[in-house]
Amino acid sequence: MEFRGSHILSVDQFGRDDVERVFEVARKMLPFSQRESVTRVLEGAVLGNIFFEPSTRTRISFGSAFNLLGGNVRDTTSEESLSLAKGENLHDTASVLSGYCDVLVMRHPKAGAVAEFSAQSRVPVINGGDGANEHPSQALLDLFTLDQEMRAKAKSVDGMSITIVGDLRFGRAVRSLCGLLSVFDSLDVRLVSPSQLTLRENLKEKLRKQGHEVSEFDSLEPALAASDVVYMTRIQTERFASADEADLYRGRLRLDRETYEAWCDPDTVIMHPLPRDSRRKARELDEDLNPNPNLAIFRQTDNGLAVRMALFALVLDVANKFEEKSRAVPWHTGARA
Ligand code: NCD
């Protein structure tokens, strides 16, 4: 794909070469995201970071990624604070905001709303999550992390077995992850969910068409044997008709230390897009796994910075321009790696 000036709306835009290109640029971003070097390559550029749903990682890491490239960030975190609350539509909002910014990131509760917004934007728009539809930057950072984790164990993403667990119906992170997994080779994909929350048929079809094994389970244990990765997710309460309905599924599929030790290989990587629901009724990924060195969840969040820096560098066409503009970090930094 041509990254320069493009909107990033869906993982369907990415072929294998495009994923490798993002990884290549993200690896070059690691010295900046890990605070070894400073670059000002986007000095003077403005990011509009427009989030109409709760977000900790996605909003702050997109903002920090832009700051780390030397750009300025303008955050908006509620629809009520914009003229959308006065009846303005997304079309007009996009026409206006794209005059103020060089790139926009948007999260919206409605599937398709970010694409609708981008159609009227004069600058690239990156989808930070649209309803239960897609979350492409999360899938890219998950695959970037998986690539690192597999290499560290002398394995590769191609040929791995991955067990994906939880709310596969409404989880946009999982939907984008499954879409992006399709571009890799020879995967064994095990999908674990309550029967009411299974992954949509078209995504399973896409994986099978690419030659991947896809199997489905409604309990966790039988899916875990010889799995290279287990990817947990939370029940997406906000997508259900009521919290009571979501409660029917909460806490049904749990990975804790006892289950891991009984059923997983000792080097199985544990992932989660976060937030994990740590309330007593949920605990899909138990805190008793925190000391396990295979728990990659905070390596995922750290990698989110480098991958989001890479997306900005690619769509704003500075991926080959930042090295000459970098210098060593002069301030005290904490341990990163
Ligand atoms: C995910 C999301 O918002 O879709 N969170 C994230 O961006 N890391 C997953 C979730 O909320 O469960």
Side-chain angles (χ1 to χ4, degrees), residues 57 61 141 145 272-274 296-305 308:
R57 279 144 288 271
S61 68
L141 78 87
T145 306
H272 193 304
L274 301 182
I297 55 177
F298 300 118
R299 296 193 282 277
Q300 281 173 271
T301 54
D302 279 359
N303 283 332
L305 266 186
R308 290 176 170 128

Side-chain angles (χ1 to χ4, degrees), residues 57-58 107 135 138 172 234 236 273-275:
R57 279 144 288 271
T58 309
R107 171 170 286 187
H135 195 349
Q138 180 70 43
R172 58 191 171 202
R234 88 184 158 89
Q236 307 282 299
L274 301 182

Side-chain angles (χ1 to χ4, degrees), residues 74-318:
R74 196 141 285 275
D75 261 319
T76 298
T77 52
S78 78
E79 214 161 318
E80 294 71 47
S81 68
L82 289 181
S83 290
L84 288 159
K86 301 183 192 168
E88 187 165 63
N89 61 19
L90 278 179
H91 173 286
D92 290 1
T93 308
S95 304
V96 173
L97 296 183
S98 60
Y100 299 160
C101 303
D102 298 279
V103 57
L104 290 151
V105 176
M106 177 177 267
R107 171 170 286 187
H108 198 286
K110 201 175 106 204
V114 180
E116 185 190 334
F117 178 86
S118 73
Q120 196 54 33
S121 172
R122 290 167 278 164
V123 300
V125 175
I126 301 178
N127 183 359
D130 62 322
N133 184 36
E134 280 247 24
H135 195 349
S137 66
Q138 180 70 43
L140 287 163
L141 78 87
D142 287 342
L143 258 320
F144 182 75
T145 306
L146 271 170
D147 182 61
Q148 286 183 334
E149 298 290 319
M150 291 297 108
R151 280 172 200 257
K153 297 182 190 308
K155 301 181 189 175
S156 71
V157 173
D158 293 312
M160 74 176 180
S161 53
I162 179 167
T163 302
I164 305 176
V165 186
D167 183 350
L168 311 188
R169 178 171 171 208
F170 294 120
R172 58 191 171 202
V174 156
R175 286 158 55 85
S176 287
L177 176 65
C178 288
L180 206 57
L181 281 172
S182 300
V183 308
F184 288 82
D185 293 327
S186 312
L187 302 177
D188 173 1
V189 182
R190 306 162 187 188
L191 304 171
V192 186
S193 68
S195 59
Q196 298 85 347
L197 302 181
T198 52
L199 189 72
R200 286 192 201 161
E201 214 45 58
N202 63 327
L203 283 165
K204 286 183 261 181
E205 247 337 283
K206 188 174 171 191
L207 283 162
R208 288 197 177 105
K209 268 208 189 112
Q210 298 299 316
H212 305 301
E213 284 282 330
V214 179
S215 43
E216 294 187 272
F217 303 81
D218 58 12
S219 63
L220 184 54
E221 290 78 2
L224 292 175
S227 194
D228 296 303
V229 187
V230 52
Y231 187 103
M232 302 300 297
T233 66
R234 88 184 158 89
I235 299 296
Q236 307 282 299
T237 310
E238 62 276 36
R239 313 276 174 236
F240 287 80
S242 68
D244 286 349
E245 193 192 339
D247 276 343
L248 298 174
Y249 307 106
R250 211 183 305 284
R252 276 213 214 160
L253 298 165
R254 282 186 165 149
L255 186 67
D256 59 12
R257 192 172 145 192
E258 193 186 338
T259 307
Y260 183 92
E261 287 177 355
W263 297 89
C264 293
D265 284 354
D267 69 346
T268 299
V269 174
I270 307 161
M271 295 180 64
H272 193 304
L274 301 182
R276 56 177 156 170
D277 188 343
S278 293
R279 291 171 289 195
R280 199 139 58 89
K281 270 199 317 198
R283 288 218 307 258
E284 69 271 359
L285 178 55
D286 203 290
E287 288 162 31
D288 67 2
L289 281 162
N290 285 0
N292 188 316
N294 297 305
L295 185 76
I297 55 177
F298 300 118
R299 296 193 282 277
Q300 281 173 271
T301 54
D302 279 359
N303 283 332
L305 266 186
V307 168
R308 290 176 170 128
M309 289 175 81
L311 289 176
F312 288 133
L314 285 162
V315 299
L316 297 176
D317 199 19
V318 291

Side-chain angles (χ1 to χ4, degrees), residues 32 36-40 322-331:
F32 304 104
E36 289 157 21
S37 305
V38 184
T39 177
R40 309 293 301 163
F322 59 88
E323 270 139 334
E324 72 258 30
K325 301 233 178 197
S326 61
R327 58 189 164 83
V329 164
W331 64 84

